[in-house]
Amino acid sequence: MPARKTLDGFDFSFQPSVPERLIRELASLHFLQTATNVLFLGPPGVGKTHLASALATQALGAGHSVLFTTLAGLAEALEGSPSPTAWRLRLRRYVQPRVLVIDEVGYTRLTAEQAHALFELVTARYEKGAILLTSNTSFAEWGGLLGNEVLASALLDRLLHHAEVIAISGASYRMKDHQDRVATRSPMTTVVS
Ligand code: ADP
Ligand code: MG
């Protein structure tokens, strides 16, 4: 995982759109038994990766297997396989863990081959293993992301059947110390650091 993140280290008061009760309930890990997916949606810096990592860390602590990947890493790993058997073996790496975290969905547009691989993966884990996913992209845009509207709708159908969708809106935590300075600058000189 990118860095060690815990729920204790998450400031719920900074991000009131995050449903704290639901997050604490998810931390009980009951969602693993029901293979419920958890999707964190929202703009950059609102804590999506933090919360997904914290739940994954909780699962690791309880002795479950966890695999953390970005969508870009996953897409790269599942393309260009020499044979169907080799491809199945590669896919298995992402199907077997009790928890699969797919971070940063939305930054990478997938090739047709990668989009089909992602669909196969979501189908293979459907009702078997939970996926924790973070995205800055609304579901309506997934057709463009996968380059295929029909495939995107079939994938979302499976992904969302048993799922908690946590849409986070608010300011970036990364920018919190810069807010005053950004707010006092004139629009012509606003700098994003
Ligand atoms: P996102 O994935 O939504 O872009 P991150 O989860 O990577 O955002 O958060 C950016 C940084 O800010 C990380 O270091 C994260 O730990 C921290 N962070 C975000 N929200 C909070 C919060 N509410 N309380 C404490 N730290 C936070
Ligand atoms: Mg992130």
Side-chain angles (χ1 to χ4, degrees), residues 8-106:
D8 285 347
F10 192 82
D11 179 0
F12 286 92
S13 66
F14 181 82
Q15 213 58 271
S17 66
V18 172
E20 181 171 0
R21 261 184 62 182
L22 174 59
I23 301 288
R24 300 227 177 262
E25 187 194 310
L26 290 168
S28 75
L29 301 178
H30 179 67
F31 76 99
L32 297 186
Q33 273 138 51
T34 53
T36 297
N37 300 321
V38 186
L39 292 88
F40 295 96
L41 306 183
V46 293
K48 303 181 300 294
T49 301
H50 185 131
L51 290 168
S53 306
L55 291 179
T57 301
Q58 190 84 8
L60 264 183
H64 299 291
S65 53
V66 174
L67 183 69
F68 184 103
T69 180
T70 59
L71 179 61
L74 173 71
E76 204 176 305
L78 290 179
E79 93 179 326
S81 193
S83 72
T85 312
W87 191 81
R88 288 269 144 215
L89 281 174
R90 281 192 205 174
L91 186 70
R92 197 190 291 173
R93 177 175 149 77
Y94 297 94
V95 176
Q96 275 185 336
R98 193 74 194 271
V99 181
L100 176 68
V101 186
I102 308 178
D103 197 24
E104 295 186 352
V105 173

Side-chain angles (χ1 to χ4, degrees), residues 71 74-75 102 105-123 133 135 137-157 159:
L71 179 61
L74 173 71
I102 308 178
V105 173
Y107 290 108
T108 323
R109 276 182 75 97
L110 302 185
T111 64
E113 189 187 6
Q114 290 171 337
H116 279 94
L118 181 65
F119 176 75
E120 289 284 328
L121 172 59
V122 169
T123 302
L133 183 148
S135 181
T137 308
S138 72
F139 296 134
E141 295 169 271
W142 281 40
L145 185 71
L146 273 68
N148 183 332
E149 295 288 346
V150 177
L151 192 72
S153 111
L155 184 149
L156 283 171
D157 196 54
L159 195 65

